[in-house]
Amino acid sequence: MTHTQKRILINEIVMALSTLSAIIGIGFLLWILGVLVTNGLEALSTTIFTAEGAPPGNSDGGLKHALIGQLILVSYAALFGVPLGILAGTYLSEYGLKSKMAETIRDISDIMMSAPSIVIGAFVYAIVVAPMGHFSGWAGSIALAIIMIPIILRTTDDMLQLVPSTLREAAFALGAPKYKVIIQVVYRGAKAGILTGVLLGVARVAGETAPLLFTSFNDNFLNTNMNEPMASLTVTIYNYATSPYEDWQQLGWAAAFILSMFILTLNIIGRLFLLKRKGR
Amino acid sequence: MATIVEITEPKALEVKDFEFTYAKADAPSIKKLSMPIARHNITALIGPSGCGKTTLLRSFNRIHDLYPGNKYEGEIIFKDRNILTPKEDLIKLRIQIGMIFQKPTAFPMSIFDNVAYGMRLQGIKNKTELQGRVEKALQDAAIWGEVKDRLKHDANGLSGGQQQRLCIARAIAVEPEVLLFDEPTSALDPISTGGIEELIVELRERVSIIIVTHNMQQAARVSDYTGFMYLGELVELGRTEEIFVTPRERLTEEYITGKFG
């Protein structure tokens, strides 16, 4: 076999292997989505959105309590997490620069991003749930916010640093004070990127179960009081899917379907923003 | 010692024994440099890469202050005061001494908002006044005809040459006394370059101009005075026609005849 033939053969083997791997990966993803969509659509009905939890054997149960609980938990988490994440990212990119302090914060938030979320749940259990003496919506939102912050912080930092420094200099050269340069020029230049970070951060925490098990726990009925345990789609999926009752399992499928569609939509919107940014 | 020609015009700026050291650098990038800048004239700074001409230019509006650790010594006199003192109000200074950069720096906003940016910073809110001054600035920058029907459009949709003229409009809208040009045409095509050069020459009526350029023909075409810098020092400052025809320093002659650089 000549060198060229050998090279072509190796090239084809590598290409075949990587294509096969890609197909396997995508295949599993489509399989999951397929099962989710068939079972989820089958389980969907109007009562799902209007009724609260019901005892097993009762077919008129719904997910209203979990849907609303999930929205409240994620909204409060975003209320804490988004401003903190954006401001911290602004500090890193605009004030901290390459200082030791800034680099340390970057390292720590990278570690936090890969920390198991159940650890964060346990941490919030220790600092919020235990002193309060009971589970609460607040504890759940705090846990989700803690998971969200490093994601938003790092994307904000990265996106602000993509804004060319000459743009900042040009604004300073017109006599702009620093805060105006940041708000009027730098934020504007990084708008799409920051928004993407926020959407991806929200999408990430919307799918978390483990930290909520320890914090907001669950409730079978509608509760909007953040001082009380609160239902969420993820914990509901966990409870219903592992139950032995057929109708609860059906509700679990419906919850999984709704949650997945919500997160998928957020991710797609986020990525569209990113594409728009790159396209410019 | 540098050879510096006698300047008959009033001075816009005067550099005295100026030294500049970048953060973490051992040696100063500019050494004991003194030079006058004639008012309502165009002074070109030429010299090989790394000679310190951009560093000097960026000292006039103290844009170096954005990065911590840089150090100035000596004096730069502007309106009877040394602008290198810590108590200098940099916001006011930068309104009086504007700057145009190598790459066009259109802000991510509309054409109108770009030109109005500096005026709004100064607290001008009156709509008619803003409109009038934006139009005037765009006319003075010779770009009004091209953009008057799309003032609300994103400024990043303009071509490079148009963006650079937009940046000039933005800078002159606040009526500075000095304009600093940092290689303003090195990112542009020859036709846009010609337009910018014409504009710079016209602006001389209203502002004192300092331009850093790598392009010796450009210095010869537009400037009244030319300063030749080498290794952080000023070698010669003279009237442009003299620098290019009868330089007094051998180093200047070697540089302009292309023996090094």
Side-chain angles (χ1 to χ4, degrees):
Chain A
M1 205 183 334
T2 66
H3 258 305
T4 317
Q5 281 173 324
K6 200 175 156 194
R7 204 182 63 209
I8 291 172
L9 185 71
I10 292 175
N11 186 34
E12 273 168 3
I13 292 173
V14 172
M15 195 171 83
L17 283 177
S18 49
T19 311
L20 188 71
S21 309
I23 290 173
I24 292 175
I26 295 170
F28 273 111
L29 179 71
L30 290 179
W31 190 2
I32 294 172
L33 271 179
V35 171
L36 199 61
V37 170
T38 11
N39 286 297
L41 282 180
E42 202 176 297
L44 272 189
S45 66
T46 44
T47 48
I48 296 246
F49 297 97
T50 52
E52 296 171 25
N58 199 330
S59 65
D60 51 7
L63 295 168
K64 184 182 165 193
H65 59 300
L67 278 168
I68 293 178
Q70 179 89 24
L71 274 181
I72 295 176
L73 286 172
V74 172
S75 302
Y76 273 107
L79 201 68
F80 306 133
V82 171
L84 273 172
I86 291 182
L87 285 173
T90 307
Y91 165 77
L92 290 184
S93 163
E94 305 300 311
Y95 294 93
L97 307 168
K98 298 266 173 277
S99 67
K100 213 166 201 148
M101 163 110 163
E103 291 295 350
T104 313
I105 296 176
R106 285 191 186 102
D107 288 344
I108 290 175
S109 61
D110 283 350
I111 296 166
M112 267 180 73
M113 248 193 278
S114 46
S117 57
I118 197 158
V119 174
I120 290 165
F123 167 74
V124 175
Y125 181 89
I127 62 155
V128 182
V129 178
M132 277 175 84
H134 56 84
F135 296 112
S136 71
W138 287 122
S141 286
I142 291 170
L144 295 184
I146 292 175
I147 298 171
M148 195 189 285
I149 288 169
I151 302 171
I152 297 181
L153 175 150
R154 288 300 267 141
T155 21
T156 305
D157 182 21
D158 289 345
M159 292 300 158
L160 293 184
Q161 285 190 36
L162 281 181
V163 176
S165 59
T166 48
L167 216 56
R168 291 183 184 84
E169 289 183 0
F172 278 113
L174 282 166
K178 186 155 187 164
Y179 75 95
K180 284 193 176 169
V181 175
I182 294 173
I183 295 170
Q184 298 172 338
V185 175
V186 182
Y187 275 171
R188 244 181 235 247
K191 201 168 48 183
I194 296 176
L195 205 57
T196 307
V198 169
L199 286 175
L200 295 183
V202 171
R204 160 80 201 277
V205 302
E208 287 292 347
T209 318
L212 295 182
L213 278 172
F214 288 94
T215 51
S216 57
F217 196 58
N218 198 11
D219 188 335
N220 252 335
F221 301 98
L222 181 63
N223 163 40
T224 52
N225 181 352
M226 287 289 281
N227 279 316
E228 301 286 327
M230 195 176 274
S232 58
L233 279 173
T234 47
V235 176
T236 304
I237 294 169
Y238 172 77
N239 285 340
Y240 281 6
T242 52
S243 77
Y245 313 110
E246 174 78 10
D247 37 348
W248 274 18
Q249 287 168 8
Q250 283 301 310
L251 282 175
W253 278 116
F257 175 72
I258 295 169
L259 185 65
S260 302
M261 288 306 126
F262 174 69
I263 293 172
L264 194 64
T265 313
L266 278 186
N267 268 296
I268 290 173
I269 297 174
R271 268 157 227 277
L272 281 181
F273 272 119
L274 213 60
L275 274 182
K276 206 178 124 204
R277 202 200 129 74
K278 281 188 187 141
R280 261 200 310 149
Chain B
M1 267 313 278
T3 305
I4 297 174
V5 79
E6 180 86 19
I7 285 190
T8 46
E9 296 91 344
K11 288 165 192 159
L13 285 157
E14 175 134 42
V15 185
K16 286 182 183 167
D17 292 328
F18 177 64
E19 291 211 340
F20 182 85
T21 315
Y22 277 109
K24 293 181 189 148
D26 302 323
S29 299
I30 295 180
K31 297 161 214 150
K32 290 279 174 205
L33 189 147
S34 297
M35 78 184 286
I37 304 288
R39 184 179 294 172
H40 290 223
N41 273 268
I42 300 172
T43 305
L45 294 173
I46 60 170
S49 296
C51 70
K53 52 194 191 303
T54 295
T55 305
L56 176 63
L57 190 81
R58 288 163 66 87
S59 304
F60 290 124
N61 65 350
R62 286 186 55 183
I63 204 91
H64 289 301
D65 286 42
L66 300 186
Y67 309 98
N70 296 327
K71 206 167 83 202
Y72 308 96
E73 270 167 82
E75 295 181 352
I76 295 179
I77 306 292
F78 174 60
K79 294 181 156 243
D80 302 322
R81 65 175 193 276
N82 177 13
I83 59 167
L84 298 180
T85 59
K87 65 173 200 290
E88 177 69 28
D89 182 344
L90 295 183
I91 290 179
K92 274 196 190 134
L93 177 73
R94 289 171 187 157
I95 291 170
Q96 290 169 332
I97 302 185
M99 189 172 220
I100 308 294
F101 296 81
Q102 187 171 359
K103 277 200 190 137
T105 51
F107 297 147
M109 47 183 90
S110 75
I111 293 169
F112 184 92
D113 289 340
N114 258 281
V115 183
Y117 190 79
M119 292 182 278
R120 284 189 174 134
L121 281 177
Q122 291 176 38
I124 300 171
K125 290 202 182 87
N126 184 311
K127 254 203 158 150
T128 14
E129 186 185 354
L130 275 179
Q131 269 165 355
R133 284 178 65 176
V134 166
E135 179 176 341
K136 172 112 190 358
L138 287 167
Q139 274 171 347
D140 291 346
I143 190 183
W144 173 249
E146 290 155 69
V147 300
K148 66 172 191 282
D149 298 322
R150 43 174 173 157
L151 293 174
K152 294 266 172 280
H153 291 212
D154 189 344
N156 283 303
L158 298 173
S159 74
Q162 287 173 325
Q163 286 193 25
Q164 196 61 307
R165 273 179 285 152
L166 179 75
C167 293
I168 295 176
R170 188 173 67 193
I172 57 180
V174 294
E175 296 174 349
E177 297 182 29
V178 179
L179 263 186
L180 312 170
F181 288 85
D182 184 8
E183 298 182 43
T185 60
S186 61
L188 302 181
D189 62 83
I191 295 176
S192 308
T193 299
I196 300 284
E197 285 181 6
E198 272 174 44
L199 185 54
I200 292 173
V201 172
E202 280 168 30
L203 286 174
R204 171 177 46 181
E205 305 296 318
R206 303 162 34 185
V207 290
S208 312
I209 291 169
I210 308 173
I211 176 171
V212 161
T213 176
H214 264 118
N215 179 334
M216 277 184 273
Q217 286 77 26
Q218 181 167 65
R221 280 193 299 264
V222 304
S223 69
D224 305 299
Y225 288 94
T226 297
F228 169 60
M229 287 178 68
Y230 186 61
L231 299 177
E233 293 179 62
L234 181 70
V235 175
E236 184 169 357
L237 173 76
R239 295 208 63 94
T240 298
E241 58 274 16
E242 285 169 14
I243 290 281
F244 283 96
V245 182
T246 53
R248 297 183 204 181
E249 294 280 337
R250 217 193 57 207
L251 212 51
T252 316
E253 187 180 341
E254 286 179 357
Y255 181 69
I256 59 167
T257 52
K259 292 218 172 85
F260 73 97

